[in-house]
Each structure stands twice: as structure tokens, then as C-alpha cells.
Amino acid sequence: EGAEGAEGLNISTIIDNTKKTYPLITASIAKSGTSSFHLSSHDESFEINREIIPSENSNIEFDQLFRYMGNGTFLSLEIRNDTGPWTQLWKRYGKHGYQVFVGDWDNFWSFTSVPLREFAGERIRVRFRYEYESGADWSPVDGDDPNEMGAFIDNVRVTNSQELQRLSSITLGADQTTFELDSLPNDEYWLQIKAKISDRWFGYGKRKIVENYKGIRPELRIDKINKVAEELLEIHVKSKGIKKLILQSSINGGKIWNNEQMVRPKSTKEEELLFQIKQISSSIIYRVIGSN
């Protein structure tokens, strides 16, 4: 799972569909870090430029904060798969009319979690859209402080998911029925084909999952997590075909991961392993990764 804050390292993964009148990234207002995403004018949006594959247990999670925003204006979360249009999964309206009290806005960030089970196993993209429908329009104009208006979004992530990364493409002739892919590392790959007739490209067909493994297929899963004392966690892991397991922690929602413990399984056969760690805060999240 990946997290999108508004820090400089993540800007390349964002498609900015705003009018560019005011910056999409704003400093000094953030749930964590130093920046957040900011939408404040009609028909503006930003898209996360990642190909995500959710599971049955995936949620999209984010933090949101509203300032002056009309009661006929909303922020929405939208999802699109390979073949369909953008689908709205969540939206929230502002609360303001034509007159407001100074500082009458959200004083605290709200955490939001939206299930993605209906998109399990599909390739999806995610965007946030700001839309004016009616009533008072609190879009900033010249002389306004834009940070007093609109919606702020931070710490966007999809849990229990995979990211599809484009590796390469091959052009096939009309009568070509075979091709070869060389030097692929051990992993699982998606293969999709699309057709071109004259100058028009058509959409991708159904995916074919190709597994490329030599020897034992690596497997890793967290079997159970127990709290055995007031501040002690036990994380039970089962692994196979993996040479090294690393327990990592994050204090900022998965933006930065820190190595806590490392274990080397005794064999490549399925093995049960145990991590024990002192939990100093309920806001810390943990994961176990494997490396060969």
C-alpha cells in the first residue's frame, strides 16, 4: 500500500487538474508533514497517478479539512477502472451560506475510510474532485486568502492493495501469434493486449496473470497479532521461499517506514516466525516485508 501526502517527494505521482490560479499543494496546513492538497474552485480535481489493485479488504483512507465552503459545493472521491467512467464513492458538502462567522470552519481534521471491495482484483485510479452546484460560491478571488476557503486533503492511501507498475510494451504484427519476454525477475505480472485499427486505439482486453518463478514460489502472510502485555505486541508470520524478513514501523501513516527487526528463516520451506515489539503508541502502524 502506498501513501500520498503533499510532500515534495510525491509530486510526480499526482496529476494536477486545477485551473492553476492557486497552487494544488499548500504549505502550513497539514494533518502530518508540512503540506496538504487544496481544492477551492469549481470543477477542479487531482488524480493519483498510480495503477492500484485493491483486494476484498481494501479501503481508501484519507484525512480531510473544510474551511469556508458553500452548502451547495462538495468534495468527492471518485474511482475509475479500465473500462468504466469515474464512479463517485464518497462526497461531503460545505455548510456556508452567503454570510459567515469569522473562523466558522473545521477546527480538526476528519479521518475517512471508504471500502473498495466492489473493485477487488481490478486496476483502478483515484481522484478527488471539487464541484459547485448552487448557492453561495466561496471560491477565492483576487485579494482573498485562498487558505481560508475550500477543502484540504492529506495522507491518501489504499490499504491491503497492490500497485501495478508498467514495465514495457511490445508492438505485434496483425498475423503475429507468439512473442517472448526476456529477463523478468521472479514475480507476478499482468499481460493485456489492445488493438489499433487505422489511427484509433481500442481499450485493453481481459488481463492474463503470468507468474514467473524459479524454484519455490515466495509466500508471506501475517497469521495473527496478539497483545500479550500492556505495551508488548506479538506478530506471528508464516513465510516460504524468503531469505530475509523485516519488521517495519511508521508513525506518519505509511509515508516513511523504519526497520525495527530482521529475521532470517532457517529454510526455504514454510516456517512460522515470531516478532515481538514494544508498542509505544497506538498511532504506529507495522508491516512485515520479505527480501531475497
Side-chain angles (χ1 to χ4, degrees):
E1 58 194 55
E4 293 298 344
E7 315 308 319
L9 292 177
N10 291 321
I11 301 306
S12 62
T13 63
I14 301 300
I15 299 175
D16 183 350
N17 292 317
T18 66
K19 300 178 178 66
K20 312 298 190 297
T21 307
Y22 302 99
L24 171 64
I25 307 299
T26 184
S28 75
I29 298 177
K31 177 62 168 64
S32 61
T34 59
S35 304
S36 66
F37 301 107
H38 182 209
L39 298 174
S40 59
S41 296
H42 170 62
D43 197 26
E44 289 191 334
S45 66
F46 70 90
E47 182 179 342
I48 297 175
N49 192 23
R50 296 178 185 268
E51 305 281 354
I52 305 297
I53 307 171
S55 67
E56 289 282 348
N57 299 317
S58 290
N59 293 323
I60 181 165
E61 299 178 347
F62 57 95
D63 296 297
Q64 36 100 4
L65 179 81
F66 281 19
R67 289 202 162 173
Y68 294 135
M69 189 166 155
N71 53 20
T73 302
F74 65 84
L75 174 71
S76 64
L77 164 69
E78 299 179 338
I79 303 293
R80 185 178 68 185
N81 60 14
D82 278 345
T83 58
W86 288 103
T87 300
Q88 187 181 95
L89 294 189
W90 171 93
K91 72 176 177 181
R92 178 190 170 191
Y93 281 90
K95 68 175 186 178
H96 298 102
Y98 291 96
Q99 294 182 333
V100 299
F101 293 102
V102 175
D104 179 27
W105 53 44
D106 289 351
N107 293 313
F108 303 98
W109 287 82
S110 296
F111 172 76
T112 303
S113 181
V114 181
L116 294 174
R117 64 179 64 92
E118 64 183 285
F119 296 98
E122 299 184 45
R123 180 169 63 179
I124 66 167
R125 298 180 72 87
V126 176
R127 78 173 180 182
F128 288 86
R129 187 166 66 93
Y130 190 92
E131 188 77 18
Y132 166 80
E133 289 181 332
S134 62
D137 183 1
W138 281 91
S139 300
V141 296
D142 289 345
D144 288 336
D145 179 356
N147 284 344
E148 292 187 350
M149 302 165 190
F152 299 82
I153 306 100
D154 204 358
N155 299 328
V156 184
R157 69 172 185 162
V158 179
T159 65
N160 302 308
S161 63
Q162 295 177 300
E163 181 181 352
L164 193 64
Q165 297 182 343
R166 186 180 298 274
L167 295 180
S168 62
S169 61
I170 301 173
T171 301
L172 305 177
D175 57 350
Q176 188 173 346
T177 58
T178 62
F179 60 92
E180 293 184 359
L181 298 173
D182 297 325
S183 304
L184 289 177
N186 288 358
D187 213 329
E188 183 178 287
Y189 299 87
W190 279 31
L191 176 65
Q192 289 183 290
I193 296 177
K194 63 180 180 180
K196 182 181 182 182
I197 299 177
S198 186
D199 293 328
R200 179 186 175 188
W201 282 102
F202 290 79
Y204 283 102
K206 291 184 178 181
R207 67 182 182 272
K208 172 70 174 178
I209 296 178
V210 179
E211 294 183 345
N212 182 46
Y213 295 106
K214 295 179 181 178
I216 298 175
R217 185 184 190 278
E219 295 181 15
L220 172 62
R221 70 178 185 272
I222 294 178
D223 202 33
K224 59 183 176 180
I225 300 176
N226 296 327
K227 189 172 184 179
V228 296
E230 184 63 28
E231 295 182 345
L232 184 65
L233 286 179
E234 286 188 347
I235 302 175
H236 297 258
V237 176
K238 288 186 178 180
S239 75
K240 182 171 70 173
I242 298 175
K243 296 180 180 178
K244 181 170 64 175
L245 301 179
I246 302 172
L247 174 66
Q248 297 182 325
S249 67
S250 175
I251 61 174
N252 55 12
K255 286 184 184 179
I256 299 174
W257 292 94
N258 300 304
N259 292 345
E260 297 286 350
Q261 298 176 22
M262 189 269 288
V263 174
R264 294 184 183 274
K266 296 179 181 179
S267 73
T268 56
K269 297 180 180 179
E270 184 171 88
E271 185 174 345
E272 294 187 13
L273 299 151
L274 174 65
F275 290 97
Q276 289 185 322
I277 189 165
K278 186 176 181 181
Q279 187 182 30
I280 59 176
S281 171
S282 60
S283 63
I284 298 178
I285 60 176
Y286 299 94
R287 72 178 182 183
V288 178
I289 63 173
S291 173
N292 282 331

